[in-house]
Structures are given as C-alpha cells and as structure tokens.
Amino acid sequence: MKKRTDKRLAEGEATGHAHVAQAEDAEVFGDGFERRLAAPTGTTISHEEHGKISLPVGNYRISRQREIDPDTEEIGSVAD
Amino acid sequence: MKTKIERLSSEQEAEVSVWRDRYWDIGTCTDPIDRAKAADAISRMYGFIGKEQPIFVWCESPFTSSLAVSVLRSSLSISLWDSLQDSLRDSLWDSLWDSLSISLQDSLSISLWDSLWDSLQDSLSISLRDSLWDSLRDSLRDSLPDLTVWGSAVWWLCFYRFCGYIGVRYSEEAALKLALYEQFACSAFWAWPYAEICIVSARPNCLRWTKKYGVLHCDGGPAVQFRDGWTLWYLNGVRVPQWLAETKDVDLAPARICQCKNAEVRREFVRKVGLDRIYHALGAMLIHEQTVTLATPYSEAWSCRYRLCEMRCGDNVRRRVLEMPNPSLPGVLHVEYVPVQCETVEQAMNFRLNRSEEDVDDDAGADWFLHGDVIIVPEQAGRLKRWPARIA
C-alpha cells in the first residue's frame, strides 16, 4: 500500500472533512475504504465534527462501516 | 542572542479578537472583484520570483476558472503555485522564529489561526474544492484541471500580520510580499498562477453561515452563490441537494429519506424533517432497542441508545434502519440502512462492522475504536470486544 502524505484515514464526500492521524511519526497507507495506520508512539485521531480519540501504540486496520442501499439492496461502505 | 517575545500585553490581548474579526471579514467578503488591485498584487508577486507580468483571465467563479484552466491547458506551462508560496513563506518564517517564543506561537495559532481555519479552510475552501471536483468530474473526465489554488489562506495572513503588529520585524521585502498577498486577498478570491497566464476567480456574491466562525448553512436558499450562477447548498456544513435546502420542512415528504444515499445528507434530512415525523409517516415499527454505556472524548460513561426499526418508504418495501445518536453532536441522530434479516441491535451492528457473532469475544477480544463511520482495529487482532473501547 502506498504511504499517504496527508495521514488521512478517511474523508467525507459531503463535507470535505477528514479523519486524520495527528502524531508526527504516524503513517497511513492505502486509498479508498481500506487503509492501514502505523502509530509507533500512539496517535490522536481528529475530525472537524468528531471529538478526538487517542489510540495506543500499534498498527491498525482501517475500514468503514457498511450499510445497505435501500433501493438496490447492494451492500457497501457508508458514504458520508 | 535576541530576546523573543514571550507574551502579549493586555492591549495586545484585547486586539486578538479584533484582528480575527477583521480577517474573517476579508475571507467572507462578497464584494465584486477589484481587477486592478488583484492584477497589481499578482504582477508584483510574479516579479519577486523573476517572472513577467502574466496575461490575466478573469472569471466569475472557481467553476468557470477551472473550465478556463481546462480549456487553456495546452497553453499553460508550469504552475507557479509552489514558487509563490515558497517565496512568501521562506522570507517570513525566519523572522517569526527569531522573534517569537514557541509557546506564544502556539497560543496565537490557537486564538487566531484555528477559528479562521475551521470556517474558511475546512468549511469553505475544502468544500468548494470538493464541489468543484464533483461538478467538473462528469464533464471533463480525463482533462480535469489542477484544483490547487492560490490566495485563499486568510487564516495564515491574519497570523503573520498580527505577529507583525506585536513586534515581529520582517525584512522590507518580506513585509511587502505579505502586503501584496493581503492586497490580493482583499480584491479577489482564488488564482491559478501559471508562467504566462494567471486565471483569477471573483468572490462569491452570497455566503451564508451558521454563525461567525461557523459552517456554511442556509435553510431555504443557497449558502454559496457566484455571479455566474454557480450555486451550492449547505445545511450545517453538509453539502446537500437543492431540494433539501430549499423545500420547507413541512413540505418535505418523509419518504424522500430513501433518496439520501449519503449518510451526512441523510443526517441533515432527519434533522430538518424530524425523526418522529418520518417514523410516523412511514409506519415505523420498533424491532429492538438496546442502551449501552460507551466512552467518548467527553464522557467515560455515555449512555447510547440504539434502536432497530422497520419502515416502508411509500413503496411497500420493508426497510430496516439502525438509529443511533451522534456522540459528538448532541441531539443529532443517524439512521443507517441494514438488512431486513437483522432482528437485534447486535446483529445490525455486526452487519455494519462486517463481522459475525463468532468474531465477538467480550472477555478476551481486542479493544477497537469507532471514529464516525471509521472502524479502527489492531492489525493482529482476531476476536474483538462487542462494543468499541472509545467512540467519537
């Protein structure tokens, strides 16, 4: 997976807001809905509308919650 | 060694909000473009990086500016964005570093930069760029222009100008560049600077916010409009379709919730129409409910009520939704569609998290986190606890 320079775990379509890893040494990899986060000293995750949460040291899998399309019944990641 | 400025005087403290308001007014100004002033500022900035005065292409909005960039693509050489930014930043940074203590830089960043950043960068600039992307994507496809724009960083301008006011001494050249940057910000909106051509967008003629330093919002009309007709609708910072912003709440048919495919747009639909009215109109039945205690950034014991409901959106098709409160926005509710086979809140959550009941272990499972719709799970984790260790 390609390393991201913006440290974004995910971004919203309707607001432009993003979930971002704040620690200097945190690294985020990948595009789309599946990403990876390396936080060798832990990190805070920020977002314009959500409170910050702190993650302990570790490597993480990042994914999005799912929902079902009310018309087609297709299952997909939540678009926000 | 030079003495650094460590703290503000009481008079300077009192001026912080005055300066912030002044730059809020600049960043949200809806006056027509002043072409002469904008051209003068840009031409002189070009001079600092050794470039001739460009030919100006004046546009009424970022949308038509982007079209112009696309149409002129073959005539445009390299973007000067980086050169202009570097020229400005490099000459300012050393003065700031030499003159201002780190702690005062940090505190001024919070009081001057952050509030302007939240509104003018996050709510306005990024939203407009995303809207531009959406608007242009279908028509231009492979020839999308570079959406990096110059001249919209008013929060940054405010910070450096205030530092000058409290005693940071910039070189003559740096002070002039800063003044030119401000001259541009006071006369136009965005620019796409290329070596021979500079495309400049005028400001919007309408910008509506929840409040000063808030987010874009207008219930009943457009929140952003440019003179060439490019119009955008927002409710509480969420870009919504025209019908949702402009239709009166009482005239919105609750069944239109099914048209809101985006979770944030649906959130605003629910906020405007009211969940009780939606449930009543769509004959909703409560299937299951569960209240769990979760840790949020604001409370170690937040009581979160999930409700699984079934409703019919006027077409007699059964649909199930999981309703939950937003842990970060008090009073805001979300409804997310789940399969009709879900009979309990726990089953609905398992579907949303893409896991089965066998993946849940409340005793030995790993802690995980939920930030909005983003699931954060330790990479080596096998089974997980049922509920997140922290939610926001």
Side-chain angles (χ1 to χ4, degrees):
Chain A
M1 283 181 171
K2 194 177 166 192
K3 183 176 157 184
R4 303 179 64 89
T5 54
D6 58 12
K7 298 189 185 183
R8 288 177 160 204
L9 308 185
E11 48 277 309
E13 288 173 11
T15 56
H17 293 164
H19 304 261
V20 182
Q22 293 294 330
E24 265 188 39
D25 58 356
E27 294 181 316
V28 179
F29 303 87
D31 285 315
F33 292 128
E34 304 289 329
R35 297 184 192 179
R36 280 186 56 243
L37 163 68
T41 57
T43 186
T44 300
I45 306 296
S46 67
H47 182 278
E48 292 79 352
E49 277 194 335
H50 298 284
K52 290 178 180 172
I53 59 170
S54 297
L55 303 182
V57 173
N59 296 324
Y60 296 91
R61 294 192 306 263
I62 310 298
S63 59
R64 297 284 281 266
Q65 294 197 78
R66 301 192 306 170
E67 72 170 350
I68 193 164
D69 186 294
D71 297 324
T72 64
E73 299 195 349
E74 269 178 47
I75 293 170
S77 297
V78 172
D80 65 4
Chain B
M1 195 174 146
K2 261 172 81 176
T3 308
K4 293 192 178 187
I5 304 168
E6 295 285 347
R7 60 183 61 84
L8 301 181
S9 68
S10 53
E11 291 80 13
Q12 290 168 340
E13 286 276 6
E15 282 289 303
V16 167
S17 60
V18 176
W19 277 70
R20 194 174 52 206
D21 286 353
R22 182 185 304 162
Y23 284 86
W24 165 262
D25 290 343
I26 292 173
T28 58
C29 177
T30 53
D31 289 348
I33 192 169
D34 186 331
R35 290 185 181 182
K37 277 190 178 170
D40 175 63
I42 291 175
S43 300
R44 291 162 75 189
M45 288 296 289
Y46 268 51
F48 277 117
I49 57 171
K51 298 290 178 189
E52 297 288 320
Q53 174 177 325
I55 296 166
F56 288 98
V57 176
W58 303 102
C59 299
E60 288 293 354
S61 77
F63 181 76
T64 42
S65 300
S66 298
L67 289 178
V69 174
S70 179
V71 168
L72 296 170
R73 176 175 294 270
S74 59
S75 313
L76 300 174
S77 49
I78 53 163
S79 169
L80 299 183
W81 194 92
D82 284 340
S83 308
L84 288 169
Q85 281 306 102
D86 291 348
S87 158
L88 192 54
R89 188 175 46 218
D90 292 350
S91 47
L92 294 169
W93 179 244
D94 287 347
S95 307
L96 200 70
W97 185 256
D98 286 347
S99 311
L100 215 58
S101 72
I102 296 287
S103 61
L104 186 54
Q105 286 183 38
D106 288 346
S107 93
L108 283 179
S109 291
I110 292 167
S111 54
L112 283 173
W113 188 310
D114 287 1
S115 51
L116 290 169
W117 172 278
D118 287 348
S119 293
L120 297 178
Q121 168 69 357
D122 289 337
S123 187
L124 182 60
S125 293
I126 292 182
S127 295
L128 287 190
R129 252 174 267 177
D130 286 352
S131 306
L132 260 182
W133 179 262
D134 287 346
S135 307
L136 296 169
R137 187 171 42 200
D138 291 341
S139 50
L140 299 180
R141 295 186 187 281
D142 296 335
S143 59
L144 272 174
D146 179 5
L147 296 178
T148 308
V149 295
W150 188 79
S152 58
V154 170
W155 55 92
W156 183 88
L157 187 59
C158 176
F159 176 76
Y160 279 96
R161 294 288 266 181
F162 185 80
C163 290
Y165 160 72
I166 62 172
V168 172
R169 289 290 159 252
Y170 302 121
S171 69
E172 203 174 310
E173 182 180 307
L176 179 56
K177 287 177 183 173
L178 202 52
L180 291 172
Y181 192 87
E182 178 156 333
Q183 182 178 321
F184 176 79
C186 291
S187 54
F189 193 54
W190 289 356
W192 284 255
Y194 292 89
E196 287 88 23
I197 296 175
C198 185
I199 295 155
V200 185
S201 167
R203 291 176 283 220
N205 60 341
C206 152
L207 273 178
R208 295 192 176 103
W209 305 83
T210 46
K211 59 181 180 182
K212 193 179 251 190
Y213 307 113
V215 292
L216 291 169
H217 172 85
C218 182
D219 190 352
V224 183
Q225 193 160 43
F226 289 85
R227 288 173 177 80
D228 60 4
W230 191 46
T231 305
L232 299 163
W233 295 265
Y234 286 83
L235 292 175
N236 298 295
V238 176
R239 185 156 49 93
V240 298
Q242 181 178 3
W243 62 265
L244 179 50
E246 295 200 343
T247 311
K248 280 186 185 170
D249 54 355
V250 292
D251 295 330
L252 278 169
R256 294 190 85 169
I257 191 172
C258 288
Q259 294 174 20
C260 302
K261 307 286 181 175
N262 180 286
E264 300 302 335
V265 175
R266 195 180 313 128
R267 173 192 95 186
E268 289 307 315
F269 183 91
V270 169
R271 182 162 16 190
K272 184 164 177 173
V273 177
L275 197 51
D276 287 344
R277 187 179 152 222
I278 294 170
Y279 280 164
H280 180 74
L282 304 183
M285 283 188 315
L286 180 65
I287 304 297
H288 184 237
E289 72 179 316
Q290 185 172 1
T291 300
V292 291
T293 302
L294 301 171
T296 75
Y298 314 108
S299 165
E300 289 302 310
W302 178 60
S303 184
C304 175
R305 185 179 70 162
Y306 287 92
R307 295 205 297 173
L308 178 65
C309 297
E310 182 172 300
M311 58 190 194
R312 291 163 201 263
C313 296
D315 51 7
N316 221 24
V317 177
R318 293 163 58 217
R319 294 182 175 92
R320 289 196 175 176
V321 291
L322 184 65
E323 171 203 323
M324 70 215 75
N326 186 311
S328 300
L329 299 172
V332 173
L333 293 167
H334 294 266
V335 289
E336 312 280 359
Y337 296 103
V338 296
V340 289
Q341 292 79 15
C342 292
E343 295 292 343
T344 65
V345 166
E346 290 175 346
Q347 286 175 8
M349 280 301 289
N350 284 346
F351 163 77
R352 290 191 34 84
L353 299 166
N354 197 14
R355 70 182 183 189
S356 67
E357 193 58 25
E358 287 70 42
D359 298 325
V360 178
D361 182 344
D362 257 333
D363 297 323
D367 281 340
W368 58 283
F369 306 86
L370 198 52
H371 202 236
D373 282 314
V374 175
I375 308 163
I376 304 168
V377 175
E379 202 160 53
Q380 303 305 324
R383 291 177 155 193
L384 302 174
K385 289 200 165 60
R386 182 173 300 283
W387 299 102
R390 199 161 287 272
I391 186 171

